[in-house]
Coordinates of all heavy atoms in Angstrom, one line a residue:
M1 N 3.8 -21.3 -15.4 CA 3.6 -22.5 -16.2 C 4.5 -22.4 -17.4 O 4.5 -21.4 -18.1 CB 2.1 -22.6 -16.6 CG 1.8 -23.7 -17.6 SD 0.1 -24.0 -18.0 CE -0.7 -22.5 -17.8
P2 N 5.3 -23.5 -17.6 CA 6.3 -23.4 -18.7 C 5.6 -23.5 -20.1 O 4.5 -24.2 -20.2 CB 7.2 -24.6 -18.5 CG 6.4 -25.5 -17.7 CD 5.5 -24.7 -16.8
I3 N 6.1 -22.9 -21.1 CA 5.6 -23.0 -22.4 C 6.4 -24.1 -23.2 O 7.6 -24.0 -23.3 CB 5.7 -21.7 -23.2 CG1 4.9 -20.6 -22.5 CG2 5.3 -21.8 -24.6 CD1 5.2 -19.2 -23.0
R4 N 5.6 -25.1 -23.6 CA 6.3 -26.2 -24.4 C 6.5 -25.8 -25.8 O 5.7 -25.1 -26.4 CB 5.4 -27.4 -24.3 CG 5.3 -28.0 -22.9 CD 4.5 -29.3 -22.9 NE 4.6 -30.0 -21.7 CZ 4.0 -29.6 -20.6 NH1 3.2 -28.6 -20.5 NH2 4.1 -30.4 -19.5
P5 N 7.6 -26.1 -26.4 CA 7.9 -25.7 -27.8 C 6.9 -26.2 -28.8 O 6.6 -25.4 -29.7 CB 9.3 -26.5 -28.1 CG 9.9 -26.7 -26.7 CD 8.7 -26.9 -25.8
A6 N 6.2 -27.3 -28.5 CA 5.2 -27.8 -29.4 C 4.0 -26.8 -29.4 O 3.3 -26.7 -30.4 CB 4.7 -29.2 -29.0
N7 N 3.7 -26.1 -28.3 CA 2.6 -25.2 -28.2 C 3.0 -23.8 -28.7 O 2.1 -23.0 -28.9 CB 2.1 -25.2 -26.8 CG 1.5 -26.5 -26.4 OD1 1.1 -27.3 -27.2 ND2 1.5 -26.8 -25.1
L8 N 4.2 -23.5 -28.7 CA 4.6 -22.1 -29.0 C 4.2 -21.6 -30.4 O 3.7 -20.5 -30.5 CB 6.2 -22.0 -28.9 CG 6.8 -20.6 -29.0 CD1 6.2 -19.7 -27.9 CD2 8.3 -20.6 -28.9
A9 N 4.3 -22.5 -31.4 CA 3.9 -22.1 -32.8 C 2.4 -21.8 -32.8 O 1.9 -20.8 -33.4 CB 4.2 -23.2 -33.7
T10 N 1.6 -22.6 -32.1 CA 0.1 -22.4 -32.1 C -0.2 -21.1 -31.4 O -1.1 -20.4 -31.9 CB -0.6 -23.6 -31.4 OG1 -0.2 -24.8 -32.1 CG2 -2.1 -23.4 -31.4
M11 N 0.4 -20.9 -30.3 CA 0.2 -19.7 -29.5 C 0.6 -18.4 -30.3 O -0.2 -17.5 -30.4 CB 0.9 -19.7 -28.2 CG 0.4 -20.6 -27.2 SD 1.4 -20.9 -25.7 CE 2.0 -19.3 -25.4
S12 N 1.7 -18.5 -31.0 CA 2.2 -17.4 -31.8 C 1.2 -17.1 -32.9 O 0.9 -15.9 -33.2 CB 3.6 -17.6 -32.3 OG 4.5 -17.8 -31.2
A13 N 0.8 -18.1 -33.6 CA -0.2 -18.0 -34.7 C -1.5 -17.4 -34.3 O -2.1 -16.5 -34.9 CB -0.4 -19.3 -35.4
T14 N -2.0 -17.8 -33.1 CA -3.2 -17.2 -32.6 C -3.1 -15.8 -32.2 O -3.9 -15.0 -32.6 CB -3.6 -18.0 -31.3 OG1 -3.8 -19.4 -31.6 CG2 -4.9 -17.5 -30.7
I15 N -2.0 -15.4 -31.6 CA -1.8 -14.0 -31.2 C -1.6 -13.2 -32.5 O -2.1 -12.1 -32.6 CB -0.6 -13.9 -30.3 CG1 -1.0 -14.5 -28.9 CG2 -0.2 -12.4 -30.1 CD1 0.2 -14.7 -28.0
A16 N -0.8 -13.7 -33.4 CA -0.6 -13.0 -34.7 C -1.9 -12.8 -35.4 O -2.1 -11.7 -36.0 CB 0.4 -13.7 -35.6
G17 N -2.7 -13.8 -35.4 CA -4.0 -13.7 -36.1 C -4.9 -12.6 -35.4 O -5.6 -11.8 -36.1
A18 N -4.9 -12.5 -34.1 CA -5.6 -11.4 -33.4 C -5.1 -10.1 -33.8 O -5.9 -9.1 -34.0 CB -5.6 -11.7 -31.9
V19 N -3.8 -9.9 -33.8 CA -3.2 -8.6 -34.1 C -3.3 -8.2 -35.5 O -3.7 -7.1 -35.9 CB -1.7 -8.6 -33.7 CG1 -1.0 -7.3 -34.1 CG2 -1.6 -8.8 -32.2
S20 N -3.1 -9.2 -36.5 CA -3.2 -8.9 -37.9 C -4.6 -8.6 -38.4 O -4.9 -8.0 -39.4 CB -2.6 -10.0 -38.7 OG -3.4 -11.1 -38.7
G21 N -5.6 -9.1 -37.6 CA -7.0 -9.0 -38.0 C -7.6 -7.7 -37.5 O -8.8 -7.5 -37.7
L22 N -6.9 -6.8 -37.0 CA -7.4 -5.5 -36.5 C -7.9 -4.6 -37.6 O -7.3 -4.5 -38.6 CB -6.4 -4.8 -35.7 CG -5.8 -5.5 -34.4 CD1 -4.8 -4.6 -33.8 CD2 -6.9 -5.8 -33.5
T23 N -9.1 -4.1 -37.4 CA -9.7 -3.1 -38.4 C -10.3 -2.0 -37.6 O -10.4 -2.0 -36.4 CB -10.8 -3.8 -39.2 OG1 -11.8 -4.2 -38.3 CG2 -10.3 -5.1 -39.9
N24 N -10.7 -1.0 -38.4 CA -11.3 0.2 -37.8 C -12.8 0.2 -38.1 O -13.5 1.2 -38.0 CB -10.7 1.5 -38.3 CG -9.3 1.7 -37.8 OD1 -9.1 1.3 -36.6 ND2 -8.4 2.2 -38.6
R25 N -13.4 -1.0 -38.4 CA -14.8 -1.0 -38.7 C -15.6 -0.7 -37.4 O -15.2 -1.1 -36.3 CB -15.2 -2.4 -39.1 CG -14.6 -2.8 -40.4 CD -15.0 -4.2 -40.8 NE -14.6 -5.1 -39.6 CZ -14.9 -6.4 -39.5 NH1 -15.5 -7.0 -40.5 NH2 -14.4 -7.1 -38.5
E26 N -16.7 -0.1 -37.6 CA -17.6 0.2 -36.5 C -18.9 -0.6 -36.6 O -19.9 -0.1 -37.0 CB -17.9 1.7 -36.4 CG -16.6 2.5 -36.1 CD -16.9 3.7 -35.3 OE1 -18.0 3.8 -34.6 OE2 -16.1 4.6 -35.3
D27 N -18.8 -1.9 -36.3 CA -19.9 -2.8 -36.3 C -19.9 -3.7 -35.1 O -18.9 -3.8 -34.4 CB -20.1 -3.5 -37.6 CG -18.9 -4.4 -37.9 OD1 -18.2 -4.8 -37.0 OD2 -18.7 -4.8 -39.1
D28 N -21.0 -4.4 -34.9 CA -21.1 -5.3 -33.7 C -20.2 -6.5 -33.9 O -20.0 -7.2 -32.9 CB -22.5 -5.7 -33.5 CG -23.4 -4.5 -33.0 OD1 -22.8 -3.6 -32.4 OD2 -24.6 -4.6 -33.1
S29 N -19.7 -6.9 -35.1 CA -19.0 -8.1 -35.2 C -17.6 -8.0 -34.5 O -17.0 -9.0 -34.3 CB -18.8 -8.4 -36.7 OG -18.0 -7.5 -37.3
S30 N -17.1 -6.8 -34.3 CA -15.8 -6.6 -33.6 C -16.0 -6.1 -32.1 O -15.1 -5.5 -31.6 CB -14.9 -5.7 -34.3 OG -15.5 -4.4 -34.5
T31 N -17.2 -6.4 -31.6 CA -17.4 -6.1 -30.2 C -17.2 -7.3 -29.3 O -17.7 -8.4 -29.6 CB -18.9 -5.6 -30.0 OG1 -19.1 -4.4 -30.8 CG2 -19.2 -5.2 -28.6
V32 N -16.5 -7.1 -28.2 CA -16.2 -8.1 -27.2 C -16.7 -7.7 -25.8 O -16.5 -6.6 -25.4 CB -14.7 -8.4 -27.2 CG1 -14.4 -9.4 -26.1 CG2 -14.2 -9.0 -28.5
R33 N -17.4 -8.6 -25.1 CA -17.8 -8.3 -23.8 C -16.9 -9.1 -22.8 O -16.8 -10.3 -22.9 CB -19.3 -8.7 -23.5 CG -19.8 -8.2 -22.1 CD -21.2 -8.7 -21.9 NE -21.2 -10.1 -21.6 CZ -21.9 -11.0 -22.2 NH1 -22.7 -10.6 -23.1 NH2 -21.9 -12.2 -21.8
V34 N -16.3 -8.4 -21.9 CA -15.3 -9.0 -20.9 C -16.0 -9.0 -19.6 O -16.5 -8.0 -19.1 CB -14.0 -8.3 -20.9 CG1 -13.1 -8.9 -19.9 CG2 -13.4 -8.2 -22.2
T35 N -16.1 -10.2 -18.9 CA -16.8 -10.3 -17.6 C -15.7 -10.6 -16.6 O -14.8 -11.5 -16.8 CB -17.8 -11.4 -17.6 OG1 -18.8 -11.2 -18.6 CG2 -18.6 -11.4 -16.3
F36 N -15.7 -9.9 -15.5 CA -14.7 -10.0 -14.4 C -15.3 -10.8 -13.2 O -16.5 -11.0 -13.1 CB -14.3 -8.6 -13.9 CG -13.6 -7.8 -15.0 CD1 -14.3 -7.0 -15.9 CD2 -12.2 -7.8 -15.1 CE1 -13.7 -6.3 -16.8 CE2 -11.6 -7.1 -16.1 CZ -12.3 -6.3 -16.9
E37 N -14.4 -11.2 -12.3 CA -14.8 -11.9 -11.1 C -15.9 -11.2 -10.3 O -16.8 -11.8 -9.8 CB -13.6 -12.1 -10.2 CG -12.6 -13.1 -10.6 CD -11.5 -13.2 -9.6 OE1 -10.6 -12.4 -9.7 OE2 -11.5 -14.2 -8.8
S38 N -15.8 -9.9 -10.3 CA -16.8 -9.1 -9.5 C -18.2 -9.1 -10.1 O -19.2 -8.6 -9.6 CB -16.3 -7.7 -9.4 OG -16.3 -7.0 -10.7
G39 N -18.3 -9.6 -11.4 CA -19.5 -9.5 -12.1 C -19.6 -8.3 -13.1 O -20.5 -8.2 -13.9
F40 N -18.7 -7.4 -13.0 CA -18.6 -6.2 -13.8 C -18.4 -6.7 -15.3 O -17.6 -7.6 -15.5 CB -17.5 -5.3 -13.4 CG -17.3 -4.1 -14.2 CD1 -18.2 -3.0 -14.1 CD2 -16.4 -4.0 -15.2 CE1 -18.0 -1.8 -14.9 CE2 -16.2 -2.9 -16.0 CZ -17.0 -1.8 -15.8
E41 N -19.1 -6.0 -16.2 CA -18.9 -6.3 -17.6 C -18.4 -5.1 -18.3 O -18.9 -4.0 -18.2 CB -20.2 -6.8 -18.3 CG -20.7 -8.1 -17.7 CD -22.0 -8.5 -18.4 OE1 -22.6 -7.8 -19.1 OE2 -22.4 -9.7 -18.1
Q42 N -17.3 -5.3 -19.1 CA -16.8 -4.2 -19.9 C -16.9 -4.5 -21.4 O -16.6 -5.6 -21.8 CB -15.3 -4.0 -19.6 CG -14.6 -2.9 -20.4 CD -13.2 -2.7 -20.0 OE1 -12.7 -3.2 -19.0 NE2 -12.5 -1.8 -20.7
T43 N -17.4 -3.6 -22.2 CA -17.6 -3.8 -23.6 C -16.4 -3.1 -24.3 O -16.1 -2.0 -24.1 CB -18.9 -3.3 -24.1 OG1 -20.0 -3.9 -23.4 CG2 -19.1 -3.5 -25.6
V44 N -15.7 -3.9 -25.2 CA -14.6 -3.4 -26.0 C -15.0 -3.5 -27.5 O -15.4 -4.5 -27.9 CB -13.3 -4.2 -25.7 CG1 -12.2 -3.6 -26.4 CG2 -13.1 -4.2 -24.2
R45 N -14.8 -2.4 -28.2 CA -15.2 -2.3 -29.6 C -14.0 -2.0 -30.5 O -13.1 -1.3 -30.1 CB -16.3 -1.3 -29.8 CG -17.6 -1.6 -29.2 CD -18.6 -0.5 -29.5 NE -19.9 -0.9 -29.0 CZ -20.4 -0.7 -27.8 NH1 -19.6 0.0 -26.9 NH2 -21.6 -1.1 -27.4
N46 N -14.1 -2.4 -31.7 CA -13.3 -2.0 -32.9 C -11.8 -2.3 -32.8 O -11.0 -1.6 -33.3 CB -13.5 -0.5 -33.1 CG -14.9 -0.1 -33.4 OD1 -15.6 -0.9 -34.0 ND2 -15.4 1.0 -32.9
G47 N -11.5 -3.4 -32.3 CA -10.1 -3.9 -32.3 C -9.1 -3.0 -31.6 O -9.5 -2.0 -30.9
G48 N -7.9 -3.3 -31.8 CA -6.8 -2.5 -31.2 C -6.6 -2.9 -29.7 O -7.3 -3.7 -29.2
C49 N -5.6 -2.4 -29.1 CA -5.2 -2.7 -27.8 C -6.0 -1.8 -26.9 O -6.0 -0.6 -27.0 CB -3.7 -2.5 -27.5 SG -3.2 -3.0 -25.8
R50 N -6.8 -2.4 -25.9 CA -7.6 -1.6 -25.0 C -7.3 -2.0 -23.6 O -7.1 -3.2 -23.3 CB -9.1 -1.9 -25.2 CG -9.6 -1.6 -26.6 CD -9.7 -0.1 -26.9 NE -10.4 0.1 -28.1 CZ -9.9 0.7 -29.2 NH1 -8.6 1.0 -29.2 NH2 -10.6 0.9 -30.3
T51 N -7.2 -1.0 -22.7 CA -7.0 -1.2 -21.3 C -8.2 -1.8 -20.7 O -9.3 -1.3 -20.9 CB -6.5 0.1 -20.6 OG1 -5.4 0.5 -21.3 CG2 -6.2 -0.2 -19.2
L52 N -8.1 -2.7 -19.8 CA -9.2 -3.3 -19.1 C -9.4 -2.6 -17.7 O -8.5 -2.0 -17.2 CB -9.1 -4.8 -18.8 CG -9.0 -5.6 -20.1 CD1 -8.7 -7.1 -19.7 CD2 -10.3 -5.5 -20.8
K53 N -10.6 -2.6 -17.3 CA -11.0 -1.9 -16.0 C -10.2 -2.6 -14.8 O -10.1 -3.8 -14.8 CB -12.5 -2.1 -15.7 CG -13.0 -1.4 -14.5 CD -13.2 0.0 -14.8 CE -13.9 0.6 -13.6 NZ -13.9 2.0 -13.6
T54 N -9.7 -1.8 -13.9 CA -8.9 -2.3 -12.8 C -9.8 -2.5 -11.6 O -10.9 -1.8 -11.5 CB -7.7 -1.4 -12.5 OG1 -8.2 -0.1 -12.1 CG2 -6.7 -1.4 -13.6
G55 N -9.4 -3.3 -10.6 CA -10.1 -3.4 -9.4 C -11.4 -4.3 -9.4 O -12.2 -4.3 -8.5
Q56 N -11.5 -5.0 -10.5 CA -12.7 -5.9 -10.7 C -12.3 -7.4 -10.6 O -13.2 -8.2 -10.8 CB -13.3 -5.6 -12.0 CG -13.8 -4.2 -12.2 CD -14.8 -3.8 -11.2 OE1 -15.7 -4.6 -10.8 NE2 -14.7 -2.6 -10.7
G57 N -11.1 -7.7 -10.3 CA -10.6 -9.1 -10.2 C -10.2 -9.6 -11.6 O -10.1 -8.8 -12.5
G58 N -10.0 -10.8 -11.7 CA -9.6 -11.4 -13.0 C -10.7 -11.6 -14.0 O -11.9 -11.5 -13.6
V59 N -10.3 -11.8 -15.2 CA -11.3 -12.0 -16.3 C -11.8 -13.4 -16.2 O -11.0 -14.4 -16.2 CB -10.7 -11.7 -17.7 CG1 -11.6 -12.1 -18.8 CG2 -10.2 -10.3 -17.8
V60 N -13.1 -13.7 -16.2 CA -13.7 -15.0 -16.1 C -14.3 -15.4 -17.4 O -14.5 -16.6 -17.7 CB -14.7 -15.2 -15.0 CG1 -14.0 -15.1 -13.6 CG2 -15.8 -14.2 -15.0
E61 N -14.7 -14.4 -18.3 CA -15.3 -14.8 -19.5 C -15.1 -13.7 -20.6 O -15.0 -12.5 -20.3 CB -16.8 -14.9 -19.3 CG -17.6 -15.3 -20.5 CD -19.1 -15.5 -20.2 OE1 -19.6 -15.2 -19.1 OE2 -19.8 -16.1 -21.1
V62 N -14.9 -14.1 -21.8 CA -14.8 -13.2 -23.0 C -15.9 -13.7 -23.9 O -15.9 -14.9 -24.3 CB -13.4 -13.2 -23.6 CG1 -13.4 -12.4 -24.9 CG2 -12.4 -12.8 -22.6
D63 N -16.8 -12.8 -24.4 CA -17.9 -13.2 -25.2 C -17.9 -12.3 -26.5 O -17.8 -11.1 -26.4 CB -19.2 -13.1 -24.5 CG -20.4 -13.6 -25.3 OD1 -20.1 -14.5 -26.1 OD2 -21.5 -13.2 -25.1
S64 N -17.9 -13.0 -27.7 CA -17.9 -12.2 -28.9 C -18.5 -13.2 -30.0 O -18.8 -14.3 -29.7 CB -16.5 -11.8 -29.3 OG -15.7 -12.9 -29.6
E65 N -18.6 -12.6 -31.2 CA -19.0 -13.5 -32.4 C -17.9 -14.5 -32.6 O -16.8 -14.4 -32.2 CB -19.2 -12.6 -33.6 CG -20.3 -11.6 -33.5 CD -21.6 -12.3 -33.5 OE1 -21.8 -13.3 -34.2 OE2 -22.5 -11.8 -32.8
A66 N -18.3 -15.6 -33.2 CA -17.4 -16.8 -33.3 C -16.1 -16.5 -34.1 O -15.1 -17.0 -33.7 CB -18.2 -17.9 -34.1
G67 N -16.1 -15.6 -35.0 CA -14.9 -15.3 -35.8 C -14.0 -14.2 -35.3 O -13.0 -14.0 -35.8
V68 N -14.4 -13.6 -34.2 CA -13.6 -12.5 -33.6 C -12.6 -13.1 -32.7 O -12.9 -13.7 -31.7 CB -14.5 -11.5 -32.8 CG1 -13.7 -10.4 -32.2 CG2 -15.5 -10.9 -33.8
R69 N -11.3 -12.8 -33.0 CA -10.2 -13.3 -32.1 C -9.8 -12.2 -31.1 O -10.1 -11.0 -31.2 CB -8.9 -13.5 -33.0 CG -9.1 -14.6 -34.0 CD -7.8 -14.7 -34.8 NE -7.7 -15.9 -35.6 CZ -7.4 -17.1 -35.1 NH1 -7.2 -17.3 -33.9 NH2 -7.4 -18.2 -35.9
F70 N -9.2 -12.7 -30.0 CA -8.8 -11.9 -28.9 C -7.5 -12.4 -28.3 O -7.2 -13.6 -28.4 CB -9.9 -11.7 -27.8 CG -10.1 -12.9 -27.0 CD1 -9.3 -13.2 -25.9 CD2 -11.0 -13.9 -27.4 CE1 -9.5 -14.3 -25.1 CE2 -11.2 -15.1 -26.7 CZ -10.4 -15.3 -25.5
A71 N -6.8 -11.6 -27.6 CA -5.7 -12.0 -26.8 C -5.6 -11.1 -25.5 O -5.8 -9.9 -25.6 CB -4.4 -11.8 -27.6
L72 N -5.5 -11.7 -24.4 CA -5.4 -11.0 -23.1 C -3.9 -10.8 -22.7 O -3.2 -11.8 -22.8 CB -6.2 -11.7 -22.0 CG -7.7 -11.8 -22.2 CD1 -8.2 -12.8 -21.1 CD2 -8.3 -10.5 -22.0
F73 N -3.6 -9.6 -22.2 CA -2.2 -9.4 -21.9 C -2.0 -9.0 -20.4 O -3.0 -8.4 -19.8 CB -1.6 -8.2 -22.7 CG -1.5 -8.6 -24.2 CD1 -2.5 -8.6 -25.1 CD2 -0.2 -9.1 -24.6 CE1 -2.3 -9.0 -26.4 CE2 -0.1 -9.5 -25.9 CZ -1.1 -9.4 -26.8
S74 N -0.9 -9.3 -19.8 CA -0.7 -9.1 -18.4 C -0.6 -7.6 -18.0 O -1.0 -7.2 -17.0 CB 0.6 -9.8 -17.9 OG 1.7 -9.3 -18.7
G75 N 0.0 -6.8 -18.9 CA 0.1 -5.3 -18.5 C -1.0 -4.5 -19.1 O -1.9 -5.1 -19.7
T76 N -0.9 -3.2 -19.0 CA -1.9 -2.3 -19.5 C -1.6 -1.9 -21.0 O -2.3 -1.2 -21.6 CB -2.1 -1.1 -18.7 OG1 -0.8 -0.4 -18.6 CG2 -2.6 -1.4 -17.3
S77 N -0.6 -2.5 -21.5 CA -0.2 -2.3 -22.9 C 0.0 -3.7 -23.6 O 0.4 -4.6 -22.9 CB 1.1 -1.5 -23.0 OG 1.6 -1.5 -24.3
C78 N -0.3 -3.8 -24.8 CA -0.2 -5.0 -25.5 C 1.2 -5.3 -26.0 O 1.6 -6.4 -26.3 CB -1.2 -5.1 -26.7 SG -2.9 -5.0 -26.1
Q79 N 2.0 -4.2 -26.1 CA 3.4 -4.3 -26.6 C 4.2 -4.4 -25.3 O 4.1 -3.6 -24.4 CB 3.8 -3.2 -27.4 CG 3.1 -3.2 -28.8 CD 3.6 -2.1 -29.7 OE1 4.3 -1.2 -29.2 NE2 3.2 -2.1 -30.9
G80 N 5.1 -5.4 -25.3 CA 6.0 -5.5 -24.1 C 5.4 -6.2 -23.0 O 6.0 -6.5 -22.0
S81 N 4.1 -6.6 -23.1 CA 3.4 -7.4 -22.0 C 3.3 -8.8 -22.5 O 3.3 -9.1 -23.7 CB 2.0 -6.8 -21.8 OG 2.0 -5.5 -21.3
R82 N 3.2 -9.7 -21.5 CA 3.1 -11.1 -21.8 C 1.6 -11.5 -22.1 O 0.7 -11.1 -21.4 CB 3.6 -11.9 -20.6 CG 3.6 -13.4 -20.8 CD 4.3 -14.1 -19.6 NE 3.5 -13.8 -18.4 CZ 2.9 -14.7 -17.7 NH1 2.9 -16.0 -18.1 NH2 2.3 -14.4 -16.6
A83 N 1.4 -12.2 -23.2 CA 0.1 -12.7 -23.5 C -0.3 -13.8 -22.6 O 0.5 -14.8 -22.4 CB 0.1 -13.2 -25.0
L84 N -1.4 -13.7 -22.0 CA -1.9 -14.7 -21.0 C -2.8 -15.7 -21.5 O -2.9 -16.9 -21.1 CB -2.6 -14.0 -19.8 CG -1.7 -12.9 -19.1 CD1 -2.5 -12.2 -18.1 CD2 -0.6 -13.6 -18.4
A85 N -3.7 -15.3 -22.4 CA -4.7 -16.2 -23.0 C -5.1 -15.6 -24.4 O -5.1 -14.4 -24.6 CB -5.9 -16.3 -22.1
S86 N -5.6 -16.5 -25.3 CA -6.1 -16.0 -26.5 C -7.1 -17.0 -27.0 O -7.2 -18.1 -26.5 CB -5.0 -15.8 -27.6 OG -4.4 -17.1 -27.8
G87 N -7.9 -16.6 -28.0 CA -8.9 -17.5 -28.5 C -9.9 -16.7 -29.4 O -9.6 -15.6 -29.9
H88 N -11.0 -17.3 -29.7 CA -12.0 -16.6 -30.5 C -13.4 -17.0 -30.0 O -13.6 -18.1 -29.5 CB -11.8 -16.8 -32.0 CG -11.8 -18.3 -32.4 ND1 -13.0 -19.0 -32.6 CD2 -10.8 -19.2 -32.5 CE1 -12.7 -20.2 -32.9 NE2 -11.4 -20.3 -32.8
G89 N -14.4 -16.1 -30.3 CA -15.8 -16.5 -29.9 C -15.9 -16.3 -28.4 O -15.3 -15.6 -27.7
A90 N -16.9 -17.1 -27.8 CA -17.2 -17.1 -26.4 C -16.3 -18.1 -25.7 O -16.2 -19.2 -26.0 CB -18.6 -17.5 -26.2
V91 N -15.6 -17.6 -24.6 CA -14.6 -18.4 -23.9 C -14.9 -18.1 -22.4 O -15.0 -16.9 -22.0 CB -13.2 -18.0 -24.2 CG1 -12.2 -18.8 -23.3 CG2 -12.9 -18.3 -25.7
R92 N -15.0 -19.2 -21.6 CA -15.1 -19.0 -20.1 C -13.9 -19.7 -19.5 O -13.6 -20.8 -19.9 CB -16.4 -19.7 -19.7 CG -16.6 -19.5 -18.2 CD -18.1 -19.6 -17.9 NE -18.4 -19.4 -16.5 CZ -18.5 -18.2 -15.9 NH1 -18.3 -17.1 -16.6 NH2 -18.7 -18.1 -14.6
F93 N -13.2 -19.0 -18.6 CA -12.0 -19.5 -18.0 C -12.3 -20.1 -16.6 O -13.1 -19.6 -15.9 CB -11.0 -18.3 -17.8 CG -10.6 -17.6 -19.0 CD1 -11.1 -16.4 -19.3 CD2 -9.8 -18.2 -19.9 CE1 -10.8 -15.7 -20.5 CE2 -9.4 -17.6 -21.1 CZ -9.9 -16.4 -21.4
G94 N -11.7 -21.3 -16.4 CA -11.9 -22.0 -15.1 C -11.3 -21.2 -14.0 O -11.8 -21.2 -12.9
D95 N -10.1 -20.7 -14.2 CA -9.4 -19.8 -13.3 C -9.4 -18.4 -13.8 O -9.1 -18.2 -15.0 CB -8.0 -20.3 -13.1 CG -7.9 -21.6 -12.4 OD1 -8.8 -21.9 -11.5 OD2 -7.0 -22.4 -12.7
P96 N -9.7 -17.4 -13.0 CA -9.7 -16.0 -13.5 C -8.3 -15.6 -14.0 O -7.3 -16.0 -13.5 CB -10.0 -15.2 -12.3 CG -10.8 -16.1 -11.4 CD -10.2 -17.5 -11.6
V97 N -8.3 -14.9 -15.1 CA -7.1 -14.4 -15.8 C -6.8 -13.0 -15.4 O -7.7 -12.1 -15.7 CB -7.2 -14.6 -17.3 CG1 -5.9 -14.0 -18.0 CG2 -7.5 -16.0 -17.7
L98 N -5.7 -12.7 -14.7 CA -5.4 -11.3 -14.3 C -4.8 -10.5 -15.4 O -3.6 -10.4 -15.5 CB -4.5 -11.4 -13.1 CG -5.1 -12.0 -11.8 CD1 -4.1 -12.2 -10.7 CD2 -6.3 -11.2 -11.3
A99 N -5.6 -10.1 -16.3 CA -5.2 -9.3 -17.5 C -5.4 -7.8 -17.3 O -6.4 -7.4 -16.6 CB -6.0 -9.8 -18.7
G100 N -4.6 -7.0 -17.9 CA -4.7 -5.6 -17.9 C -5.0 -5.0 -19.2 O -5.4 -3.8 -19.3
A101 N -5.0 -5.8 -20.3 CA -5.3 -5.2 -21.6 C -5.8 -6.4 -22.5 O -5.5 -7.6 -22.3 CB -4.0 -4.6 -22.2
I102 N -6.5 -6.0 -23.5 CA -7.0 -7.0 -24.5 C -6.8 -6.4 -25.9 O -6.9 -5.2 -26.1 CB -8.5 -7.3 -24.3 CG1 -9.0 -8.4 -25.2 CG2 -9.4 -6.1 -24.4 CD1 -10.4 -9.0 -24.8
V103 N -6.5 -7.2 -26.9 CA -6.5 -6.8 -28.3 C -7.5 -7.7 -29.0 O -7.6 -8.9 -28.7 CB -5.1 -7.0 -28.9 CG1 -4.6 -8.4 -28.9 CG2 -5.1 -6.4 -30.3
I104 N -8.4 -7.1 -29.8 CA -9.3 -7.9 -30.6 C -9.2 -7.6 -32.0 O -8.7 -6.6 -32.5 CB -10.8 -7.6 -30.1 CG1 -11.2 -6.1 -30.3 CG2 -11.0 -8.0 -28.6 CD1 -12.6 -5.8 -30.0
G105 N -9.7 -8.5 -32.8 CA -9.6 -8.4 -34.3 C -10.4 -9.5 -35.0 O -10.8 -10.4 -34.4

């Protein structure tokens, strides 16, 4: 899917917000639950780039507090990988997102 120039600034700002908002706090406000096609749920805590479980299919839902931002990446690293989706709070995807890593903040 091509990226339109009008959407590029919004996407960049969303990803930058997720990355710049990273902290080392250990509380539930930075906890994200990722649900896969298989029904498997993975809990990710405390920001930073985290590798997602493999062999569970694509990501169908990301659930967190309303103010917690996230970005899903194609590879198992957030640097050098393409951002596939981003947002904040609870998000359900119509089509599974084949992501290998997530950054939260």
Side-chain angles (χ1 to χ4, degrees):
M1 174 172 28
I3 298 173
R4 291 183 169 77
N7 297 334
L8 188 58
T10 302
M11 289 172 35
S12 297
T14 301
I15 293 168
V19 173
S20 69
L22 298 178
T23 64
N24 290 326
R25 295 178 305 176
E26 294 212 20
D27 60 20
D28 288 340
S29 67
S30 60
T31 299
V32 173
R33 188 183 75 235
V34 179
T35 305
F36 296 87
E37 285 179 281
S38 67
F40 178 80
E41 294 181 353
Q42 180 177 350
T43 302
V44 182
R45 292 184 175 87
N46 299 326
C49 183
R50 303 285 191 249
T51 303
L52 295 175
K53 183 79 172 167
T54 59
Q56 301 298 322
V59 174
V60 293
E61 184 176 10
V62 177
D63 188 25
S64 68
E65 294 292 322
V68 177
R69 294 183 171 276
F70 72 87
L72 294 170
F73 291 85
S74 59
T76 56
S77 170
C78 298
Q79 292 184 350
S81 295
R82 185 172 60 114
L84 301 173
S86 63
H88 57 86
V91 177
R92 183 153 182 82
F93 300 105
D95 293 323
V97 177
L98 296 173
I102 186 170
V103 63
I104 63 173

